[in-house]
Amino acid sequence: QVQLVESGGGLVQAGGSLRLSCAASGRTFSSYAMGWFRQAPGKEREFVAAISRSGGNTYAADSVKGRFTISRDNAKNTVYLQMNSLKPEDTAVYYCAASPYGSSWSSEWEYDYWGQGTQVTVSS
């Protein structure tokens, strides 16, 4: 079992930056691969980025490559999403999720635990 809480969302102008954090409970954070997903109004939830248990491997959706960076600090039980060069189309609720499997990185069915989400709004 793991409980996830996202934070760091807010309102930013296009071209700006924002860093999201996801704090996990428990002592076994390093046993989980972690992912970020987002969902905009009227759209399906989509994969954003994922990171392996040790942080040695990362994956990102084409829509955010070169702009977003996922990282983790296992000592702090926290995963981050650094978002740079934000665009209005990045506006969405962002969710972090934990997976004990670490195989199908971009599939939401891979993840057993989810946070409550944090709103990111990018103005033009």
Side-chain angles (χ1 to χ4, degrees):
Q1 288 272 26
V2 59
Q3 183 175 341
L4 307 173
V5 180
E6 302 98 332
S7 62
L11 174 64
V12 297
Q13 293 185 332
S17 298
L18 203 62
R19 188 176 78 160
L20 305 183
S21 298
C22 177
S25 65
R27 299 188 179 194
T28 58
F29 177 68
S30 62
S31 296
Y32 298 90
M34 300 295 297
W36 285 97
F37 292 77
R38 67 186 182 186
Q39 187 167 25
K43 296 183 179 180
E44 295 184 348
R45 187 187 301 161
E46 66 175 346
F47 170 75
V48 176
I51 189 167
S52 62
R53 294 169 179 79
S54 66
N57 295 298
T58 61
Y59 312 85
D62 289 343
S63 60
V64 304
K65 283 183 178 178
R67 299 189 298 120
F68 292 10
T69 302
I70 188 171
S71 62
R72 68 191 297 163
D73 186 338
N74 286 348
K76 295 182 178 180
N77 281 12
T78 302
V79 63
Y80 305 95
L81 185 68
Q82 178 65 48
M83 305 184 293
N84 298 325
S85 301
L86 283 162
K87 304 174 181 179
E89 50 263 45
D90 294 319
T91 295
V93 176
Y94 284 71
Y95 300 90
C96 70
S99 170
Y101 312 114
S103 55
S104 299
W105 306 102
S106 64
S107 173
E108 64 182 289
W109 308 113
E110 171 88 358
Y111 299 86
D112 286 351
Y113 306 100
W114 294 79
Q116 82 287 353
T118 186
Q119 177 71 47
V120 172
T121 303
V122 184
S123 62
S124 60

